[in-house]
Amino acid sequence: RTSHEETSKRCIMFVGFDDVLDHAFEKQRVEMYAPWFAVSSHGVCVTTDARCCTHLVMPRLKMSAKFLSVIARGGVPIVSPNWLKDTVQKKKWQDSDSYWLEDAEGEERLNINLESLKERATSDPLKLSAPVFQGCTFYRHESFAMKRDEVRVLIECAGGILLTETHGAPADMIILTNVLPKKKSEGSENFKDIHWLKRCILENVLPRTRVH
């Protein structure tokens, strides 16, 4: 019996390669591995869109909007470059589960547990909980430390909706900002910073308390 990974097209996204400057260079990175990719029975493509990638290739852990978006989506293997190298060398797609990224130093530095992320990504889709931001509405304040397009993709991957204006917004709309209210007042609990956002995605929880 042929697995889904063996029969589906791979759409690869690269994160954490310091010399990867743009999409064109990323495409060259894949093509340089071997002409075998071009004639692979099911092909391969490179993307910079976390919403459609099937595999995330990283040489080491790096906190980024793309990385968080992939985590929010769930079901996407986070693999080391050896997955591609061995695939080319053996001329057969290797099982991505055997190439999950290992980076103990990065885990400690960024307070990330790769094993728990792997468990979430490889879980039965039918047993997964709803996306962490399902039913949530967001607005990005201009002070927020992440670009608007990056926030939009991240929120969408996590099941939420990002509004472009506050007029007519629901009362429980979450406002993403770098400037949190110093005093508690009506609605102040709806202001959240990037630390809160990262925690929600990485821990797959929706805390309503401020995170510093």
Side-chain angles (χ1 to χ4, degrees):
R1 186 175 179 177
T2 305
S3 69
H4 173 73
E5 188 171 50
E6 290 174 334
T7 59
S8 61
K9 184 174 182 178
R10 285 88 179 163
C11 199
I12 300 169
M13 184 166 70
F14 293 94
V15 169
F17 292 85
D18 296 336
D19 56 340
V20 174
L21 301 178
D22 53 35
H23 178 77
F25 195 96
E26 287 180 337
K27 189 172 187 295
Q28 292 173 10
R29 178 180 292 279
V30 171
E31 291 177 342
M32 75 181 183
Y33 275 108
W36 179 79
F37 277 127
V39 297
S40 176
S41 58
H42 301 290
V44 61
C45 69
V46 178
T47 185
T48 57
D49 191 340
R51 293 169 294 187
C52 62
C53 80
T54 61
H55 297 79
L56 175 61
V57 179
M58 302 180 73
R60 66 191 67 82
L61 278 173
K62 178 182 180 181
M63 189 67 73
S64 70
K66 291 179 181 178
F67 172 70
L68 291 172
S69 297
V70 166
I71 299 302
R73 272 186 61 199
V76 178
I78 303 172
V79 297
S80 76
N82 289 332
W83 173 64
L84 286 177
K85 293 178 182 179
D86 288 354
T87 288
V88 171
Q89 183 179 21
K90 299 176 182 179
K91 297 185 178 180
K92 179 181 179 181
W93 285 108
Q94 300 302 295
D95 182 3
S96 59
D97 286 347
S98 301
Y99 290 85
W100 259 80
L101 179 66
E102 296 181 0
D103 182 3
E105 187 276 333
E107 287 183 282
E108 182 176 357
R109 174 170 47 85
L110 299 174
N111 193 25
I112 293 175
N113 188 320
L114 280 170
E115 187 60 34
S116 66
L117 296 183
K118 180 179 180 180
E119 290 177 3
R120 282 166 52 187
T122 56
S123 296
D124 184 342
L126 298 178
K127 297 180 180 179
L128 290 175
S129 58
V132 67
F133 290 151
Q134 182 169 302
C136 296
T137 304
F138 292 81
Y139 175 77
R140 175 194 174 275
H141 187 267
E142 60 183 11
S143 68
F144 194 61
M146 190 180 289
K147 295 179 180 178
R148 183 178 299 278
D149 287 345
E150 293 177 335
V151 174
R152 177 173 54 81
V153 171
L154 175 54
I155 296 302
E156 289 178 0
C157 285
I161 298 173
L162 181 68
L163 301 181
T164 57
E165 59 181 35
T166 58
H167 179 71
D172 62 350
M173 178 183 69
I174 299 170
I175 300 175
L176 299 174
T177 177
N178 272 15
V179 185
L180 294 172
K182 295 181 179 180
K183 296 181 179 181
K184 289 186 177 181
S185 60
E186 185 177 354
S188 64
E189 69 278 3
N190 291 353
F191 288 79
K192 306 298 180 184
D193 60 16
I194 195 164
H195 303 293
W196 178 90
L197 184 66
K198 291 176 180 178
R199 176 180 171 186
C200 289
I201 299 299
L202 293 173
E203 299 183 7
N204 200 33
V205 296
L206 187 61
R208 288 287 180 172
T209 56
R210 184 185 301 180
V211 178
H212 295 283

